[in-house]
Amino acid sequence: MGVRSGGASLRDELLAMKINVKLVVCRNSLDVWAAIIDAQKHVTSRGIPAVHIEAHGIQLSDDPDDEPRFGDGAGGTLRWSEVGNWLAPINEASGYKMMLVGASCWGQAAIATTNVFSHAIPFAVCVGFSTSVSSASLRAAMVQLYWHLVVRNESFQDSLAAARLELFNKDED
């Protein structure tokens, strides 16, 4: 829900690298749902998507009943588990090859999209930060991740390692 100002900048950089990308600015959970439904409809024509959700991450709570969420920074939030219900059909349609990127502080919470009791696994690979992250580090890391993965066709592990080298703060991961 909501895109940091870096969304358009990242899109432009990826397009310059000849990476097919579509930026969808979402203002609420309905917009997120509509964007995911659109991606699902076009898996066969556009190819396997990397669903990249860039939003404000919310630090995980110590309360086990508090579900991991992300939001727009103004109080609106969306549960990752709900997003998993929407993503599972895309991953299934892509032959279980979709990458989910939680491009936010505490974005590793995107792992909470999994729910084996109600739907297929919603991703093949999930990427996210386990800490807070500066917008500069986030953008630099994402550029490197996609460049190594898509343009250089490197392994996921090598691409992730290259992305980590771009983090400006030693406390970011």
Side-chain angles (χ1 to χ4, degrees):
M1 292 180 7
V3 173
R4 291 183 179 182
S5 59
S9 174
L10 177 60
R11 178 209 50 214
D12 293 346
E13 192 144 358
L14 295 177
L15 286 172
M17 288 187 254
K18 308 284 190 249
I19 297 174
N20 187 16
V21 63
K22 179 179 180 181
L23 172 68
V24 179
V25 178
C26 299
R27 291 172 183 80
N28 54 48
S29 58
L30 184 59
D31 287 351
V32 174
W33 175 79
I36 291 171
I37 294 301
D38 182 62
Q40 179 188 350
K41 288 179 183 176
H42 294 97
V43 167
T44 55
S45 61
R46 293 183 191 148
I48 300 166
V51 175
H52 178 104
I53 298 177
E54 190 166 328
H56 291 278
I58 298 169
Q59 188 168 10
L60 298 175
S61 168
D62 290 334
D63 181 354
D65 293 328
D66 192 17
E67 287 194 56
R69 301 169 284 129
F70 64 93
D72 60 10
T77 64
L78 186 56
R79 292 185 329 263
W80 279 109
S81 61
E82 187 170 2
V83 174
N85 291 328
W86 305 337
L87 291 175
I90 298 174
N91 193 35
E92 188 173 12
S94 72
Y96 300 98
K97 297 177 183 174
M98 189 191 85
M99 181 170 75
L100 173 61
V101 179
S104 66
C105 297
W106 302 285
Q108 95 287 4
I111 196 84
T113 57
T114 60
N115 181 346
V116 295
F117 300 110
S118 66
H119 57 71
I121 190 82
F123 56 80
V125 175
C126 184
V127 178
F129 295 92
S130 60
T131 64
S132 63
V133 63
S134 70
S135 57
S137 285
L138 183 133
R139 183 176 174 278
M142 293 297 103
V143 166
Q144 287 301 308
L145 177 70
Y146 290 117
W147 184 65
H148 283 268
L149 205 62
V150 179
V151 176
R152 294 187 59 173
N153 199 29
E154 293 182 10
S155 70
F156 174 74
Q157 292 81 4
D158 290 344
S159 301
L160 188 59
R164 279 191 166 137
L165 292 175
E166 296 299 313
L167 300 176
F168 295 108
N169 215 324
K170 66 177 179 66
D171 297 329
E172 295 174 327
D173 188 33

